[in-house]
């Protein structure tokens, strides 16, 4: 099998121990499978992401001996790709403009009590709420909505949009989010660590956003397009993201693309039981102390710490990881 894995940090701050655990686990899994490991900087939300954090994260990873096997991709430069893929979904007539503000949605959500079973064991702050479907009856978006007919004939539509980097589409959908109708699917898959999982997207999440009101493509959309575009076969990441997996699988299925395999590693929690994050004041990793940090991350993954030089240590952990995690496993199961 052609294994391609990736680590996809959002540069909203420096790496902390929790993010190093995800980086190390994804690197070890790629190497244990004889595969490639890629770094992708998920800086799609310019209001939250800062270039200096991208640089610092890359230095932190470098100090830990974790180097990308291919060019580092930045999501902020890929709008045209995200739009090209979005055009593929338009014939499904599932995309619509949503003008609801966050406040309006919250007010409607407050009247209902959603249950998100995949997050039942995680800190309650991670529970998202269900979109109430307010704008679902609006007409589905089609390319003619945002293409100037004087400058494009139908067969040159995609190249035109490609050249313009999606500018027409972003102008057309300004101040609206673009949501996708989920219908009523139960998404089932098998996580390599957490086992059999399922989620009813309609009851537990609802129609979700592919492009935000402040005019950038959403995490759900960019991550699926990038993983497909980069040929990612295996996603290894923190368990806080497990709740996103059904939405991403739903998009893989709609795009008629083979699903990757998933392995979600246990979260590192602080003494209050909260996930480490900028909000919970998680300590930034100091590149000068990478040896200690790597040992802590390895121990969290059930591997023995060591004083050997970092490159030697990493090789030992690859062996140990192989024994723990490289039994043959099937790819994620399909939508029910
Ligand atoms: N960018 C996401 C984060 O930093 C991770 C995305 C992923 O691994 O799918 O939480």
């Amino acid at each position: 099998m052609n294994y391609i894995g990736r680590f996809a940090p959002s540069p909203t701050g420096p790496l902390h121990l929790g993010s190093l655990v995800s980086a190390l686990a994804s690197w070890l899994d790629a190497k244990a499978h004889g595969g490639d490991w890629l770094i992708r900087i998920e800086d799609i939300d310019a209001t939250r992401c800062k270039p200096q954090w991208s640089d610092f994260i890359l230095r932190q990873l470098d100090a830990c001996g974790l180097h990308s096997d291919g060019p580092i991709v930045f999501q902020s430069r890929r709008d045209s790709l995200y739009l090209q893929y979005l055009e593929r979904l338009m014939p499904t007539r599932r995309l619509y403009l949503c003008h609801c503000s966050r406040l309006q949605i919250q007010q409607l959500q407050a009247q209902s009590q959603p249950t998100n079973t995949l997050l039942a064991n995680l800190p309650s702050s991670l529970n998202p709420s269900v979109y109430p479907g307010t704008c679902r009856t609006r007409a589905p978006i089609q390319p003619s909505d945002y293409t100037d007919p004087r400058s494009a004939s139908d067969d040159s539509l995609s190249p035109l949009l490609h050249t313009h980097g999606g500018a027409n589409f972003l102008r057309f959908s300004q101040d609206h989010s673009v949501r996708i109708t989920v219908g009523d699917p139960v998404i089932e898959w098998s996580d390599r660590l957490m086992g059999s999982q399922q989620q009813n997207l309609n009851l537990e999440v609802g129609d979700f956003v592919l492009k935000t009101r402040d005019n950038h493509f959403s995490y759900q959309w960019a991550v699926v397009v990038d993983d497909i575009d980069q040929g990612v076969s295996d996603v290894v990441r923190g368990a806080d993201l497990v709740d996103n997996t059904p939405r991403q699988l739903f998009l893989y299925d709609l795009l008629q693309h083979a699903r990757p395999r998933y392995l979600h590693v246990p979260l590192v929690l602080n003494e209050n039981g909260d996930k480490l994050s900028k909000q919970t004041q998680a300590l930034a990793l100091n590149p000068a102390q990478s040896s200690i940090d790597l040992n802590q991350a390895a121990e969290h993954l059930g591997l023995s710490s060591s004083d050997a030089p970092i490159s030697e240590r990493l090789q030992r952990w690859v062996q140990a990881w192989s024994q723990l995690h490289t039994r043959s496993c099937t790819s994620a199961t399909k939508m029910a």
Side-chain angles (χ1 to χ4, degrees):
M1 189 188 76
N2 194 12
Y3 184 113
I4 300 182
R6 51 50 161 199
F7 175 56
S10 303
T12 53
L15 296 185
H16 48 70
L17 183 62
S19 26
L20 181 60
V21 164
S22 299
L24 181 62
S26 60
W27 187 89
L28 290 172
D29 200 53
K31 299 302 157 185
H33 285 87
D36 285 337
W37 181 78
L38 304 174
I39 298 175
R40 180 170 72 231
I41 299 291
E42 301 211 321
D43 56 352
I44 195 129
D45 181 351
T47 55
R48 295 178 58 237
C49 299
K50 300 270 176 297
Q52 65 265 33
W53 290 130
S54 306
D55 295 344
F56 191 65
I57 287 171
L58 294 173
R59 271 182 46 213
Q60 290 176 304
L61 291 171
D62 192 55
C64 291
L66 306 178
H67 309 293
S68 183
D69 293 314
I72 294 169
V73 161
F74 291 79
Q75 287 190 327
S76 55
R77 304 172 192 168
R78 288 160 74 84
D79 272 357
S80 58
L81 183 75
Y82 303 139
L83 181 64
Q84 276 182 339
Y85 272 80
L86 203 65
E87 283 190 312
R88 293 197 202 168
L89 288 190
M90 287 187 192
T92 66
R93 300 178 62 78
R94 285 174 180 263
L95 304 182
Y96 61 89
L97 290 181
C98 170
H99 57 62
C100 301
S101 68
R102 200 163 285 166
L103 184 68
Q104 286 168 323
I105 295 173
Q106 277 165 1
Q107 283 166 346
L108 285 163
Q109 281 164 342
Q111 296 159 16
S112 63
Q113 281 302 314
T115 41
N116 191 321
T117 50
L118 287 178
L119 290 178
N121 298 322
L122 294 176
S124 57
S125 57
L126 296 174
N127 255 304
S129 303
V130 177
Y131 173 65
T134 320
C135 292
R136 191 182 295 143
T137 50
R138 291 166 73 113
I141 303 171
Q142 41 196 355
S144 57
D145 291 336
Y146 56 89
T147 310
D148 180 349
R150 288 164 305 182
S151 56
S153 64
D154 275 349
D155 54 1
S156 67
L157 207 55
S158 287
L160 172 91
L161 295 170
H162 182 71
T163 319
H164 286 242
N168 284 348
F169 175 77
L170 293 178
R171 213 173 303 121
F172 154 78
S173 59
Q174 215 160 22
D175 300 327
H176 290 77
S177 56
V178 172
R179 282 186 191 269
I180 185 154
T181 307
V182 294
D184 199 16
V186 175
I187 306 291
E188 296 180 334
W189 87 100
S190 178
D191 185 274
R192 288 172 51 204
L193 205 58
M194 300 170 76
S196 175
Q197 306 287 320
Q198 71 166 44
Q199 186 180 66
N200 181 318
L201 264 192
N202 187 38
L203 293 181
E204 301 187 39
V205 179
D207 296 352
F208 58 95
V209 169
L210 301 189
K211 193 227 59 151
T212 66
R213 267 164 74 91
D214 43 6
N215 238 6
H216 57 80
F217 289 95
S218 70
Y219 158 65
Q220 305 296 345
W221 183 242
V223 85
V224 168
V225 171
D226 283 333
D227 282 341
I228 291 176
D229 180 68
Q230 296 189 282
V232 168
S233 63
D234 285 75
V235 174
V236 177
R237 58 188 179 188
D240 54 325
L241 292 167
V242 71
D243 167 58
N244 296 278
T245 304
R247 273 170 278 182
Q248 294 168 11
L249 290 174
F250 171 75
L251 294 173
Y252 271 96
D253 292 350
L254 277 185
L255 289 165
Q256 299 182 323
H257 194 280
R259 297 169 165 196
R261 298 186 305 176
Y262 289 88
L263 187 159
H264 289 89
V265 293
L267 291 184
V268 182
L269 303 178
N270 66 17
E271 59 280 7
N272 300 326
D274 295 321
K275 168 187 171 298
L276 294 191
S277 68
K278 216 168 49 167
Q279 291 73 23
T280 58
Q281 273 86 48
L283 284 183
L285 302 182
N286 178 350
Q289 291 184 6
S290 52
S291 175
I292 300 169
D293 296 332
L294 266 175
N295 272 345
Q296 279 193 319
E299 280 177 6
H300 183 78
L301 293 168
L303 307 167
S304 315
S305 57
S306 150
D307 292 331
I310 285 181
S311 58
E312 210 176 290
R313 232 185 277 181
L314 288 172
Q315 286 322 310
R316 280 192 214 158
W317 288 335
V318 170
Q319 306 294 325
W321 184 274
S322 295
Q323 284 169 7
L324 289 170
H325 297 292
T326 55
R327 285 168 313 157
S328 70
C329 22
T330 50
S331 61
T333 30
K334 282 227 135 221
M335 207 189 294

